[in-house]
């Protein structure tokens, strides 16, 4: 398989995202593996969905679907399978966005608004002014809780991904229209695969394959010709590899992912990244390759790592480069939303990936990563939304203001 770089939409040439955070940290998180038989190779000829333009002939890279978005953000965000106990890892560090070698100590000189790169700054990532974090800031201001409101604004002002599950056409249209009106590019997460999260905290998704294919077409129709960066189906491929998905469902899942990748990659302004788990889930990245190939990675712009996890940026980038070399130097993005202190140690109260205490927000979103194959650091998981009903948290995907405030406070320490 040879991956050919797809031309980037204009707003993805040197995007640099501003933010009001003075000192932040970088970190990592993890999950555990099971061996499964390598899936059958994809067919030579992949039919393109009728209602969506086919991928460009020179662009044979696969794309993955993005997680759900709801108006109140109540759709569950992915969480690790029950046995993923290595989902955290400490490390403090606020780096310059252009620093090619992230370190481990806070850098008080880090600049969240670096100068445009040599390719030129043509756009920024979109953030939702009506997000739960933004509404919380306004509520605390009205209540006179000004210090807390100021702290939380460091989170509310950052662009975070919009998760899309049900009603994909309406939600994608609303977000991409709002983003285009502001001259910015939104990050969408497609999250609707059947047997989602293997029935755990973030259970749900499409009832069957036919419904999922319709969902993929609706998501594409909602995006249309507007710009978007899509993260497709967090956890879906890694759950096939680690054995979480029953054997009889694995082939269909990978084929459905391929369908979504091909559908979305045909859009003129959309970049697609298929989720590939995290640095601690499948330690040997070679085990992911057959499944990623069948899932259409050859049609995507690359893969995504560390979604909803806590692994450090350094560990995620190192792991990503190992996987990239096995996929013809594929590009990738890393979720840095909550990795400012790395993964948590086991406290005996449950899985360390589920609402672990003492974590912090990480590197603000930016495309200035200093690594040619790392296209962006993104806040894919929305900081402050629960991983599930563990450690006193609300259901997965629901806003938890006290946890959000803790993530911000810990970033400065």
């Amino acid at each position: 398989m040879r991956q050919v770089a797809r031309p980037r939409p204009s707003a993805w040439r040197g995007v640099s995202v501003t933010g009001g955070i003075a000192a932040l940290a970088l970190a990592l998180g993890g999950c555990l593996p099971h061996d499964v038989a390598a899936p059958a190779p994809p067919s030579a000829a992949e039919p393109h969905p009728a209602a969506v333009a086919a991928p460009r002939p020179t662009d044979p890279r696969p794309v993955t679907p993005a997680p759900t978005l709801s108006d109140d953000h109540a759709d569950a965000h992915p969480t690790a399978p029950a046995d993923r106990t290595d989902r955290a890892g400490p490390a403090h560090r606020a780096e310059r966005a252009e620093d090619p070698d992230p370190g481990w100590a806070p850098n008080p000189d880090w600049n969240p608004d670096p100068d445009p790169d040599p390719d030129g700054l043509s756009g920024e990532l979109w953030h939702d002014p009506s997000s739960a974090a933004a509404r919380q800031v306004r509520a605390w201001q009205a209540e006179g809780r000004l210090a807390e409101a100021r702290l939380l604004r460091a989170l509310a002002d950052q662009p975070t991904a919009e998760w899309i599950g049900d009603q994909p056409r309406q939600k994608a249209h609303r977000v991409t229209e709002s983003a285009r009106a502001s001259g910015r590019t939104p990050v969408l997460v497609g999250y609707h695969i059947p047997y989602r999260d293997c029935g755990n905290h973030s259970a749900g998704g499409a009832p069957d394959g036919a419904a999922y294919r319709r969902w993929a077409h609706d998501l594409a129709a909602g995006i249309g010709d507007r710009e978007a960066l899509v993260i497709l189906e967090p956890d879906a491929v890694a759950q096939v590899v680690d054995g979480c998905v029953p054997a009889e469902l694995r082939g269909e899942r990978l084929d459905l992912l391929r369908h979504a990748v091909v559908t979305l990659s045909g859009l003129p302004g959309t970049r697609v990244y298929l989720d590939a788990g995290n640095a601690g889930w499948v330690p040997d990245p070679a085990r992911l390759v057959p499944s990623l190939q069948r899932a259409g990675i050859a049609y995507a712009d690359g893969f995504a790592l560390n979604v909803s996890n806590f692994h450090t940026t350094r560990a995620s980038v190192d792991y990503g480069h190992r996987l990239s070399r096995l996929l013809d130097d594929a590009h990738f993005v890393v979720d840095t939303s909550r990795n400012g202190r790395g993964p948590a140690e086991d406290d005996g109260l449950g899985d360390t990936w589920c609402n672990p205490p003492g974590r912090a927000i990480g590197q603000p979103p930016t495309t200035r990563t200093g690594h040619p194959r790392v296209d962006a650091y993104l806040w894919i998981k929305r900081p402050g939304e629960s991983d599930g009903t563990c450690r006193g948290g609300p259901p997965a995907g629901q806003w938890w203001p006290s946890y959000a405030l803790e993530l911000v406070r810990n970033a400065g320490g």
Side-chain angles (χ1 to χ4, degrees):
M1 176 191 70
R2 176 63 189 165
Q3 293 189 339
V4 179
R6 295 170 54 194
R8 294 187 178 190
S10 60
W12 262 89
R13 294 182 63 249
V15 175
S16 174
V17 181
T18 61
I21 305 176
L24 297 178
L26 303 175
L28 5 127
C31 306
L32 300 174
H34 289 248
D35 285 319
V36 296
S43 58
E46 176 70 16
H48 296 298
V52 181
R56 291 167 281 281
T58 58
D59 191 1
R61 295 171 63 180
V63 184
T64 45
T68 47
L69 164 70
S70 64
D71 291 336
D72 58 359
H73 309 299
D75 282 329
H77 291 198
T79 53
D83 62 347
R84 301 183 201 170
T85 57
D86 61 336
R87 275 209 153 198
H92 299 278
R93 160 81 159 141
E95 59 172 333
R96 290 185 180 275
E98 69 271 23
D99 188 347
D101 184 23
W104 302 100
N107 180 357
D109 298 322
W110 177 76
N111 177 13
D113 187 14
D115 293 332
D117 66 20
D119 291 334
L121 180 64
S122 57
E124 293 182 341
L125 297 177
W126 177 82
H127 83 278
D128 183 1
S130 63
S131 68
R135 295 196 303 268
Q136 189 71 65
V137 168
R138 292 192 289 270
W140 280 348
Q141 287 175 332
E143 296 168 9
R145 299 171 62 177
L146 302 184
E148 291 170 316
R150 281 194 298 271
L151 278 173
L152 195 61
R153 184 170 294 284
L155 186 156
D157 287 348
Q158 293 297 329
T160 55
E162 297 289 339
W163 293 63
I164 299 183
D166 61 343
Q167 301 181 348
R169 186 187 298 251
Q170 299 94 314
K171 293 171 182 175
H173 183 270
R174 173 175 61 81
V175 171
T176 54
E177 273 292 318
S178 178
R180 181 162 67 176
S182 65
R184 301 186 178 188
T185 301
V187 178
L188 307 179
V189 183
Y191 194 50
H192 201 57
I193 197 75
Y195 194 54
R196 192 174 69 189
D197 197 33
C198 297
N200 291 321
H201 286 282
S202 297
D208 54 40
Y212 187 79
R213 290 172 185 270
R214 290 193 298 271
W215 173 88
H217 285 289
D218 284 346
L219 177 59
I223 296 172
D225 63 354
R226 293 172 291 278
E227 291 182 350
L229 186 157
V230 176
I231 308 300
L232 193 58
E233 298 296 350
D235 296 353
V237 171
Q239 286 173 343
V240 167
V241 176
D242 81 354
C244 170
V245 177
E248 65 273 15
L249 300 180
R250 295 171 193 167
E252 181 189 36
R253 169 171 285 201
L254 297 175
D255 291 343
L256 291 175
L257 290 172
R258 184 185 184 90
H259 179 85
V261 167
V262 169
T263 299
L264 293 167
S265 67
L267 300 175
T270 299
R271 295 174 64 81
V272 184
Y273 294 86
L274 184 60
D275 188 75
N278 61 66
W281 192 341
V282 180
D284 179 5
R287 294 179 53 222
L288 290 165
V289 171
S291 293
L292 286 169
Q293 289 175 333
R294 180 164 175 175
I297 191 68
Y299 292 89
D301 291 274
F303 56 90
L305 293 174
N306 205 46
V307 175
S308 297
N309 217 300
F310 303 87
H311 288 285
T312 62
T313 302
R314 170 171 285 177
S316 297
V317 169
D318 288 349
Y319 184 85
H321 280 129
R322 291 168 59 202
L323 179 57
S324 171
R325 286 192 290 270
L326 299 172
L327 295 170
D328 293 329
D329 295 333
H331 287 217
F332 59 99
V333 297
V334 176
D335 185 354
T336 61
S337 59
R338 303 184 300 175
N339 72 351
R341 287 190 172 181
E345 296 182 0
D346 187 1
D347 59 5
L349 298 178
D351 295 305
T352 56
W353 53 264
C354 191
N355 300 325
R359 301 310 93 203
I361 53 176
Q363 164 72 47
T366 182
T367 60
R368 296 175 57 81
T369 67
H371 298 277
R373 279 181 279 169
V374 184
D375 287 349
Y377 298 139
L378 302 172
W379 283 11
I380 300 172
K381 169 71 177 183
R382 299 171 68 88
E385 292 184 356
S386 177
D387 294 315
T389 54
C390 48
R391 295 182 174 83
Q398 289 194 15
W399 174 248
W400 190 3
S402 61
Y403 194 73
L405 196 60
E406 179 186 357
L407 290 170
V408 178
R409 281 177 170 152
N410 290 341

